Amino acid sequence: MISFLAQNPGRVFSKEQIYDVVWKEPYSGDYNIVMSHIREKIEDDPSHLVYIQTVWGVGYRFNKI
């Protein structure tokens, strides 16, 4: 997931788009798994997102660091 977002810095993707690209399988559950992976596996401090920015009501994007 991080490589997908990092290859597209600044571009906003919905949870659905991220799930479809990263997991490459039909989805039958809760898209909150995307946020869970972002918080727990990508960020050093899950309560303070640095690499991934939430765009409320739209999705997520990789910050240009």
Side-chain angles (χ1 to χ4, degrees), residues 1 4 9-10 13 17-20 23 28-29 31-33 37-38 40 46-48 54-55 57-58 61 65:
M1 178 184 328
F4 167 68
F13 294 94
Q17 289 172 310
I18 294 170
Y19 190 93
D20 290 346
W23 280 275
S28 61
Y31 282 113
N32 286 330
I33 190 169
H37 275 273
I38 287 171
E40 296 174 15
S47 65
H48 184 263
T54 301
V55 180
V58 182
R61 73 173 158 213
I65 299 174

Side-chain angles (χ1 to χ4, degrees), residues 3-62:
S3 63
F4 167 68
L5 292 172
Q7 289 172 3
N8 298 282
R11 184 169 171 204
V12 180
F13 294 94
S14 69
K15 289 188 237 182
E16 294 85 356
Q17 289 172 310
I18 294 170
Y19 190 93
D20 290 346
V21 169
V22 173
W23 280 275
K24 297 180 184 169
E25 61 183 44
Y27 183 70
S28 61
D30 186 1
Y31 282 113
N32 286 330
I33 190 169
V34 172
M35 189 58 192
S36 175
H37 275 273
I38 287 171
R39 289 192 182 276
E40 296 174 15
K41 306 210 185 243
I42 296 173
E43 297 288 352
D44 295 326
D45 178 0
S47 65
H48 184 263
L49 301 180
V50 175
Y51 303 106
I52 308 298
Q53 180 182 18
T54 301
V55 180
W56 295 106
V58 182
Y60 304 96
R61 73 173 158 213
F62 190 81

